[in-house]
Structures are given as C-alpha cells and as structure tokens.
Amino acid sequence: RAVVRRAGGQTGYVALTPNQPFSMVIPVSMPALPGGTLNVKRGAYLAGTPDITARAKLLPAKDALACACGGLPPIIQEITSETGHGQAFLSAAGTIVARPLRPGEEIIVDSMTIVGFENTVTFEVRNVGSFMNCCLGGEGCFNTVLTGPGNVYLQSINTDKLMSQLVTIQQEADNDEPGSGPAPETMRR
C-alpha cells in the first residue's frame, strides 16, 4: 500500500495508469452506490482515496452452481467506503460499460466481461440451452446472469484471454520466420 502526501498548500495531482495492456482507469464514486460496497474481480482494484478499503471476500453467488460455474473465481475483492465517501479506481480493458439495473432487471453476460457489481446485485448462472448449443455455441455450458437492483461494470476485453492470444500469435510468428527452420519440438535427433 502506498500513501501519497503533499506538504504545502498548493493543489497537486497524482496520475494513475493500469498495469495491463489496453486498460483504462474507471473512477467510481462510492457515495453514488447505495450500499457503499462494490464487488470486483481480483486485480480490478487499482487505488482509492484514504477512506476506501479493499479486502478479499467470497463470491456472493446465489448458489454453489453459480460459484463453481459463474466464471469468476470464488475469492473476489470487496471495495468499501468506511465513511460513505471517497473514490475508488478500477482497472478494466476495452470498452467499459457502467450499467444500472432496476429491481428485477436481468442482464446475461459472458463471465469474462464482469469487472464488478454492487452487493445488491444477484450473481447466478443459467444453462445456455441444448447440448448442441453448449458444445458448438462457443460460450460453454453456462452464462452469467446479473439481476438488479444495482450497478454493474463490464469490459469488452478480458486481459487474461487477450494475453493468451497474444502469446499464441507470437509463438506462431516465431515458428513461421523465413529461414528459421522447424520449431525445436519438431526436430528429430
């Protein structure tokens, strides 16, 4: 934890930058959240004003199936404001959507797009449908369902998935260079 203090009476600035490619900083005003608490995926919390606290928490899933198959790990981060004031800063990649859900309103999302959601939002999973849809649809067996009331924060790029794709592309490029010969694992002795 780093604390920045400025001596003197002049206004100063602190610049924040995420440590992931294609990411941006999402400022979240904690007084705007009715419960003053936000559940975020691990690694999404970047910084906060002095009255903001981040701690580990079990995923508040509706049931064990949602916890096991909802796409988020069972341990997430809980961001709270001890005073009801303050600002938290999250890190997310791509296009960021902050979506308020009305009571009972559902949004069905790919689990990898979730950055965070309020404590008042219900986290559950729903089967994608038939066996064919599950195997050939590209989304797996379950989609994540978030039910309001409360705010939901989503991202268009999952950095873990992006990084694995970039590594694969680089490995393919390394193996296709002219004159480089076969990849080491394909050479015979």
Side-chain angles (χ1 to χ4, degrees):
R1 178 176 181 158
V3 177
V4 178
R5 297 192 200 292
R6 179 167 167 73
Q10 298 173 330
T11 301
Y13 296 94
V14 174
L16 300 173
T17 183
N19 62 353
Q20 301 169 354
F22 307 111
S23 291
M24 58 192 319
V25 177
I26 306 169
V28 178
S29 176
M30 296 306 279
L33 304 178
T37 301
L38 188 63
N39 301 308
V40 299
K41 69 178 188 165
R42 285 186 305 187
Y45 176 70
L46 185 61
T49 55
D51 46 357
I52 301 296
T53 305
R55 62 180 144 261
K57 168 185 178 175
L58 286 175
L59 177 66
K62 186 173 182 180
D63 52 32
L65 181 66
C67 189
C69 301
L72 289 178
I75 306 294
I76 61 170
Q77 290 179 302
E78 179 182 62
I79 312 302
T80 57
S81 172
E82 303 301 325
T83 63
H85 298 89
Q87 189 109 5
F89 299 94
L90 307 178
S91 171
T95 301
I96 310 304
V97 175
R99 171 84 190 269
L101 298 177
R102 294 182 307 274
E105 181 182 8
E106 293 182 342
I107 185 169
I108 300 172
V109 299
D110 180 320
S111 304
M112 297 298 131
T113 64
I114 298 171
V115 177
F117 54 94
E118 286 185 63
N119 260 353
T120 55
V121 173
T122 303
F123 179 93
E124 60 184 314
V125 294
R126 187 172 297 155
N127 191 306
V128 296
S130 69
F131 177 75
M132 291 292 283
N133 205 13
C134 179
C135 293
L136 304 174
E139 291 297 322
C141 297
F142 299 97
N143 282 325
T144 303
V145 180
L146 301 169
T147 307
N151 291 311
V152 174
Y153 299 87
L154 306 171
Q155 64 184 353
S156 66
I157 299 175
N158 174 279
T159 52
D160 295 333
K161 189 174 182 179
L162 173 66
M163 294 306 289
S164 69
Q165 290 174 344
L166 290 175
V167 168
T168 301
I169 291 168
Q170 182 60 45
Q171 288 172 344
E172 289 173 1
D174 289 346
N175 291 337
D176 289 342
E177 288 183 23
S180 65
E185 63 271 4
T186 62
M187 293 178 19
R188 297 180 196 201
R189 293 184 182 205

